[in-house]
Amino acid sequence: MDIKKGQGRFIFFCLAPAVILFIVFLIIPTIDVFRMSTYKWGGYTDDKTFVGLQNFTKLFHSDKFYQSFQNSLLLIIVVTIVTFAFALVFASMLSREKLKGQDLLRIIFYIPNILSVVVISAIFSAIYDPNSGLLNAFLNLFRGATSDSTLWLGDQKIVIFSLAGAMIWQAIGYYMVMYMASMANIPESLYESAELEGAGRMHQFFTITIPLIWTNIRTTLTFFVISTINMSFLFVVAMTGGGPDGATEVFLSYMYKEAYTNSSYGYGMAIGVIVFLFSFALAAILNAVTKREHLEY
Amino acid sequence: MKNNKLTHHGVSDKVYKGFIYVVLIALAIIIIVPVAWAFMASVKQDIEFYGNPWALPKGFYLENFVNAWQKAKMGSYMLNSVIVTVIALALLLVIALPAAYVLARYKFKGSVILNMMFMAGLFINVNYIVVPIFLMLNNGDKIVRSFLGHPIFLNNLFILALVYAAMALPFTVYLLAGYFKSLPREFEEAASVDGAGYFRTMVQIIMPMAKPSIVTVILFNFLSFWNEYIISMTLLTKPGLRTLPVGLMNLMAAQKSAVQYGQMYAGLVIVMLPTLILYILVQKKLTQGMTMGGLKG
């Protein structure tokens, strides 16, 4: 009886701090996002009025929201496809062939992952600088210095792709390491027997490598959606501020601007709710579409 | 004639291997050059930035670092970052370790629900809830102000550290609990026979065994706390309290009006140098830990 009582006390004191912290800083704010989205609450007053779904109807009539939606979707598609394709192919090259300096290469590829997004943004702002930037100076070698310099971050049509470039640069190593880890589990004998049957590298890649790491690929697809939504926010805050003229405004940067900078808390939280539901739905759709029979090896 | 086919195969093999080297080294260069260039730019004089950006620096103009450290206050921001990171890591370990241990090894009323709650926390992202957290702390300040006469929640490095620790809780508990689950029961049974209480068993027997997992937790969270800026810029509005990445963001903005490239790149190097040094020291652990934990958040 005494032992039991001591155990209960022990469990309580071990868990209490974590549970309190979790509830105060994660659960309550999350509930707040949903609750506040049904209120009209702005400016510096404490006046909150319940408006039901009015924030949402306002949202669906806002051009700015559609612009941020479009930009986010474009980034999700471009960043996912490019990063996914390159990371997968490079990972299979690195893990299938015995190369000198393999470890060094892996170390280098992972470097962007340990840098702050502010640092990456500062570096890429310098690369994209129209006059003293690395990229234009490099391109001028081919097109001649007299031609007009490209405004990588100033041209509304280009800037979203410049942003995507920085994001891909940041993400590629992370996914490579991830794919390499699961490729390392594929037994070598499968490749050997495929080789004996005369299957080429391409064939092996599509019939052995991809099917056997399919579970891992599905997981990363969900990661891509969620992390592109989050990372694009970080990059936009540090690099473009949503400009020029909203050309790089993404979901969460629009939310932050409305909720924090503009103090339209209710409206901002409504954006948050929509983005959350959208990312959830997109992840679920991707998951359903990519469902295959599980392969054992 | 007979081994014609064989040699042909050998040649194409070599060509393919060469091709792989070229592609992988090209990627390595694309990753390394921007980072190396930033280091180079940090020792250039401002006037050198008007020339070819690919040119090597004419000398080591270390004055940039002095300016960044003193004039741009990166020195005191560094101190803020160190304080926040150290406190956040300490809080996280003290709170997460006992919680993860109890969740992994004890069955009690509500243990299933608590386990599920922390798992669900993995899906909550900071970017969505940062504004509700700000509002909650702001409201707290309004109440406190009527008692103490001054606010205590916003613009407080300790509170920022506490929020960081809370944000890192779900993933840290998930990772540590995974490890604790893998330990055999006999450890606790033996300790109990020897008359050690619950607390002593945990601190003196289980914790030392968890050292490798604890190191992984520290590494990942050091990087994420050190590099974080969205929560930091939202909760710390006083310029004197900025953390390093937020300070760097300010340097980037200032650089647009007054041309002080050198100082900005020196600031950038100051932000990324600690993470790079750490990475070089422990890179194996980091890439292994990543594949162990699956995702980083």
Side-chain angles (χ1 to χ4, degrees), chain A residues 4-26:
Chain A
K4 202 78 191 166
K5 204 173 159 196
Q7 194 187 41
R9 199 181 299 157
F10 172 71
I11 290 173
F12 176 80
F13 282 112
C14 282
L15 279 175
V19 172
I20 291 171
L21 211 59
F22 190 82
I23 289 175
V24 171
F25 288 114
L26 283 153

Side-chain angles (χ1 to χ4, degrees), chain A residues 73-92:
Chain A
L73 205 59
L74 184 68
L75 281 177
I76 291 173
I77 294 168
V78 171
V79 173
T80 303
I81 291 177
V82 177
T83 315
F84 172 70
F86 276 100
L88 196 63
V89 170
F90 285 144
S92 102

Side-chain angles (χ1 to χ4, degrees), chain B residues 27 29 33 55 72 87 89 104 186 189 216 230:
Chain B
L27 180 65
I29 289 173
V33 162
I87 296 178
L89 281 176
E186 281 79 49
E189 279 159 19
T216 310
I230 299 290

Side-chain angles (χ1 to χ4, degrees), chain B residues 131-150:
Chain B
V131 174
I133 290 175
F134 165 80
L135 289 172
M136 184 173 73
L137 295 174
N138 198 29
N139 277 339
D141 270 345
K142 273 181 200 155
I143 296 165
V144 166
R145 201 181 275 138
S146 58
F147 290 109
L148 296 174
H150 59 87

